[in-house]
Amino acid sequence: MVAANGSLVRGKGIASIQRTGPGRYTIAMESDINAEESVPQVALNQSADWRSEIFAKVVNASTTSVLTGANSSASDQPFYFRLP
């Protein structure tokens, strides 16, 4: 679970999370996790703006990018992230 400010609320297997701009987050996995061998799953937290959207993209073996927004504009939103 990730807060809108990019801080990790709870989780495991995450080395770091950086908020790189409004609605833009970079999630680095621990070294024993290969993001390229999985499909990231993301969902907005129930406290997110009701008109929000969320997207995820695997950048490389250790990094995933998450974008959140509302009304077609980037904005910080709390979300859940899972890499099964």
Side-chain angles (χ1 to χ4, degrees):
M1 182 175 177
V2 180
N5 67 4
S7 62
L8 182 65
V9 176
R10 66 177 173 269
K12 61 180 181 176
I14 304 294
S16 68
I17 299 176
Q18 290 184 308
R19 181 188 164 277
T20 58
R24 298 182 182 277
Y25 307 89
T26 300
I27 302 174
M29 270 54 81
E30 292 180 350
S31 61
D32 60 335
I33 299 172
N34 185 344
E36 293 178 323
E37 294 179 352
S38 191
V39 176
Q41 298 173 350
V42 290
L44 290 163
N45 182 292
Q46 64 190 21
S47 64
D49 185 305
W50 281 72
R51 298 162 299 222
S52 297
E53 53 244 356
I54 187 167
F55 305 94
K57 174 183 157 186
V58 173
V59 177
N60 57 41
S62 64
T63 307
T64 300
S65 174
V66 175
L67 306 173
T68 62
N71 298 317
S72 301
S73 295
S75 67
D76 299 338
Q77 301 294 330
F79 63 93
Y80 298 99
F81 170 81
R82 182 173 181 222
L83 195 67

